[in-house]
Amino acid sequence: MKRLLALLATAASTVGLTVLAGPPAQAAAGCTVQYTITSQWEGGFQAGVKITNLGDPVSGWKLDFTMPDAGQKVVQGWNATWSQSGSKVTAGGVDWNRTLSTGASADLGFVGSFTGSNPAPTSFALNGVTCTGSVTDPPTDPPATGTPTAVNGQLHVCGVHLCNQYDRPVQLRGMSTHGIQWFGSCYNDASLDALAKDWKADLLRVAMYVQEDGYETDPAGFTGRVNSLVDMAEARGMYAVIDFHTLTPGDPNYNLDRAKTFFSSVAARNAQKKNVIYEIANEPNGVSWAAVKSYAEQVIPVIRAADPDAVVIVGTRGWSSLGVSDGANESEVVNNPVNATNIMYAFHFYAASHKDTYRAAVSRAASQLPLFVSEFGTVSATGGGAVDRSSSIAWLDLLDRLKIGYANWTYSDADEGSAAFKPGTCAGTDYSSSGVLTESGALLKSRISTADSFPTS
Ligand code: IDC
């Protein structure tokens, strides 16, 4: 129930929202509608609309709903006739789905554009009968056998490791998105297929910036976009790290209220899924460990209330360097850990900038703290410059040896050395050939695509 209320409170932000109507007497009428933003990019999006008829059979139907934001427009739809007048959208049944027996569904969808925010519509009417009522969890798709999530199931922290459903340590290897507010077009079915099948990645980190035109400008739209990427990773058997990408300002407490709102929503919505890991603050900087710990101890309970068993990653001081970039070290965390269980601490590095001192800190800390490298680059800390091959390889060898999971910055075509794809790649459809990879992308693909050896007993 708590979950339902949380979802209702953020209904406008929820994708995969299902609305139920109780059938009146006489001709039974009622419906559920599930509206899912399946992908979103700058100014555009794709939505799936699933109608289920709960009433008497119909031999023709019209679905009406209102776009919440004046700038939202249907551009082109499928599996229905689509029209829009002002903010009112009407979809009508076509030959192959005009007849809906009781319990039958029709799947339609459209490509849309938007100018301001892109919230999901909250109310739908089928043949004039409003579909209102309770909100239920979105369906969870069982992952294909043999995929990382199918083999490992729900993860948990065991000692200093991340463990799978057999309580055995696993190392997850994958990629981080770039800021989804800028590179949304890079995350689509083709690119995620390539990540799962060609790269054989175990995880996708979803970097949702909070500032820099990110979450704070459109909480509902970004929440929906993150949820849809969680679903896309789940469908391919990959874990999804939901990264609340705080960066500037460096004090995560600046975003404490936003974090509580965001995580209560995504944790409720994704509670039944086994593929979600929550990363509550990307890179605290210019702030004490005590302040970061205080933030964590306020945000983690919000997640636990909705999704009790998920692993949470806590950022560390000095841009998630365990304090090293601020002249401290891991002892400040070891001596004053976050008061919570089933958590890991983030360590981030950029191979051309962070070398032996940082590797020494990780080597020491790894026997005392559960660590997760939720972001690293092969280049300098600016995200640009040349790939430092020898430092990158030294780091990756160390992480493999210590069984520390990682996500590389970035699975994108940004015009900077850290991007895995050459500029322009995301405007096309090829994410698989070697010709689209940068030097960094080729190095990471070669490391990530080697066989996993996940223990199964
Ligand atoms: C960088 C991006 C760059 C963007 C900049 C500012 O690569 O395109 O202009 O952020 O938002 C981090 C951060 C990550 C940085 C990355 C490289 O988590 O957001 O991305 N980096 O500078 N920490 C260390 C390096």
Side-chain angles (χ1 to χ4, degrees), residues 178 182 209 212 245 247 282-283 350 375 381-383 409 416:
H178 203 294
W182 298 312
Y209 276 72
E212 301 186 59
H245 201 86
L247 186 60
N282 167 48
E283 293 189 349
Y350 279 75
E375 181 185 312
T382 63
W409 185 263
E416 54 188 14

Side-chain angles (χ1 to χ4, degrees), residues 178-179 181-183 205 207 209 212 243 245-248 282-283 319 348-350 354 375 377 379-384 409-410 414 416 418:
H178 203 294
Q181 79 276 40
W182 298 312
F183 290 90
R205 178 194 195 226
Y209 276 72
E212 301 186 59
D243 163 32
H245 201 86
T246 58
L247 186 60
T248 309
N282 167 48
E283 293 189 349
W319 294 273
H348 292 178
F349 65 86
Y350 279 75
H354 308 126
E375 181 185 312
V379 297
S380 87
T382 63
W409 185 263
T410 57
E416 54 188 14
S418 52

